[in-house]
């Protein structure tokens, strides 16, 4: 029997995952839009109209012995995320009751905050500063407490880059500070390779980092990226200062996955 992969929040990242795994697993994707459900059907994906907070039964009917990929971001600027967190934990509870085999949660390296200059590995303590990061930590902890019942994989992603998405575009022409801060990025192709291993092989229970292996200063990197992309470069103050800011160390995670990231250097991402 073909394995079910249920992806909540079928957006940009899910589109790449779905394309890579098409034919290997039976993909069900949730979306808030009826039109998007129809579009997913045309791609060979079963679309389920679902908004976080709705009755999860429409999702749970697909979850027996399945993998559930939780990919519903709360929004960086959102505040008062108690309802979001409660709805996510309720969905998790419903999934466990429905017999889900494996839950993969797409989290973020922002759970470590921005006030450290340390090398951060998978066992480093979290220090969330934004409401979004705090919500991610709460959901992570809730899931990790379920590991006696199901397999749980927490993926802490650095800043996402793809063929149609690079942060230099949103920074173009802006005047910014902290040019000496280190860059932590990951390419969508490497994320997809990691997810193929996590979903298709023996699940890795616990926390994984998905990040490139080098970390240039952002005041140098984003100027170079803008030039390569033929857009107006940003201007950063403090670029000449010694490098500062956290470094997300993903070496152990890539090794556990048996993946050599194709985009280990952010300069290969544009």
């Amino acid at each position: 029997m073909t394995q079910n992969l249920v992806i909540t929040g079928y957006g940009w990242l899910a589109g790449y995952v779905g394309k890579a795994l098409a034919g290997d697993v039976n993909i069900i994707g949730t979306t808030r839009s009826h039109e998007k459900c129809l579009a997913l059907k045309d791609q060979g994906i079963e679309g389920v109209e679902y908004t976080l907070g709705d009755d999860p039964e429409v999702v749970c009917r697909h979850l027996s012995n399945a993998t559930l990929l939780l990919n519903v971001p709360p929004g960086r600027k959102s505040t008062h995320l108690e309802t979001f967190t409660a709805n996510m934990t309720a969905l998790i509870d419903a999934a466990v009751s429905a017999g889900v085999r494996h839950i993969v949660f797409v989290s973020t390296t922002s759970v470590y905050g921005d006030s450290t200059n340390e090398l951060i590995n998978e066992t480093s303590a979290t220090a969330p500063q934004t409401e979004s990061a705090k919500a991610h930590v709460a959901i992570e902890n809730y899931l990790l407490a379920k590991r006696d019942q199901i397999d749980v994989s927490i993926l802490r992603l650095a800043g996402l880059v793809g063929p149609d998405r690079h942060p230099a575009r949103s920074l173009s022409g802006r005047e910014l500070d902290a040019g000496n801060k280190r860059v932590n990025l990951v390419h969508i192709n490497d994320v997809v390779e990691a997810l193929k291993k996590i979903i298709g092989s023996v699940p890795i229970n616990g926390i994984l980092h998905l990040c490139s292996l080098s970390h240039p200063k952002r005041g140098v990197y984003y100027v170079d990226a803008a030039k390569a992309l033929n857009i107006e470069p940003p201007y950063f103050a403090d670029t000449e200062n010694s490098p500062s800011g956290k470094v997300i160390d993903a070496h152990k995670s890539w090794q556990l996955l048996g993946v050599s990231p194709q985009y280990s250097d952010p300069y290969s991402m544009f």
Side-chain angles (χ1 to χ4, degrees):
M1 180 181 292
T2 304
Q3 177 189 353
N4 273 5
L5 169 63
V6 181
I7 305 176
T8 59
Y10 206 94
W12 183 79
L13 183 150
Y16 280 92
V17 175
K19 186 176 294 185
L21 290 174
D24 296 331
V25 295
N26 182 41
I27 302 172
I28 299 99
T30 77
T31 174
R32 295 177 292 179
S33 162
H34 179 68
E35 290 73 19
K36 182 71 175 288
C37 279
L38 297 177
L40 289 177
K41 185 177 180 180
D42 291 339
Q43 300 169 35
I45 294 166
E46 183 173 351
V48 173
E49 195 170 344
Y50 170 77
T51 298
L52 187 65
D54 290 350
D55 185 340
E57 163 57 24
V58 68
V59 179
C60 289
R61 67 183 62 161
H62 303 282
L63 287 178
S64 179
N65 202 37
T67 295
L68 173 62
L69 177 58
L70 290 175
N71 181 40
V72 185
R76 291 182 181 180
K77 297 181 180 179
S78 300
T79 56
H80 308 296
L81 291 174
E82 294 85 358
T83 300
F84 171 82
T85 304
N87 287 337
M88 285 287 279
T89 56
L91 176 58
I92 291 164
D93 285 341
V96 173
S97 296
V100 72
R101 179 181 63 85
H102 182 197
I103 294 182
V104 182
F105 178 50
V106 178
S107 189
T108 168
T109 56
S110 69
V111 298
Y112 298 113
D114 286 318
S115 59
T116 179
N117 290 319
E118 296 180 1
L119 183 72
I120 302 292
N121 64 34
E122 297 83 351
T123 63
S124 297
T126 58
Q129 294 174 317
T130 66
E131 292 305 308
S132 174
K134 291 173 184 177
H136 277 89
V137 170
I139 296 163
E140 284 186 6
N141 290 337
Y142 196 81
L143 274 169
L144 291 170
K146 303 284 186 184
R147 284 188 291 176
D148 60 337
Q149 303 173 66
I150 59 169
D151 293 321
V152 172
S153 302
I154 307 292
L155 306 187
R156 291 177 178 162
L157 271 59
L160 269 168
V161 178
D164 52 349
R165 173 173 170 170
H166 196 288
R169 297 190 184 280
S170 64
L171 300 178
S172 177
R174 295 173 58 185
E175 294 187 10
L176 302 159
D177 57 7
N180 61 325
K181 278 282 188 76
R182 298 179 178 95
V183 167
N184 294 284
L185 297 173
V186 65
H187 197 279
I188 186 66
N189 289 6
D190 290 332
V191 173
V192 167
E193 286 304 308
L195 282 166
K196 285 168 67 177
K197 287 294 187 77
I198 292 164
I199 293 165
S201 305
V202 177
I204 295 176
N205 265 318
I207 295 165
L208 294 166
H209 282 171
L210 299 186
C211 185
S212 65
L213 302 179
S214 63
H215 309 271
K217 293 181 185 179
R218 66 177 193 156
V220 175
Y221 175 72
Y222 286 121
V223 170
D224 290 344
K227 291 175 180 176
L229 295 168
N230 293 314
I231 57 177
E232 183 182 356
Y235 171 79
F236 284 92
D238 309 317
T239 300
E240 300 305 317
N241 292 347
S242 298
S244 70
K246 67 191 177 197
V247 169
I248 302 299
D249 182 4
H251 285 85
K252 181 180 178 181
S253 292
W254 293 121
Q255 185 177 27
L256 280 171
L257 290 165
V259 173
S260 296
Q262 181 182 359
Y263 297 87
S264 61
D265 182 356
Y267 275 89
S268 64
M269 297 180 186
F270 52 77

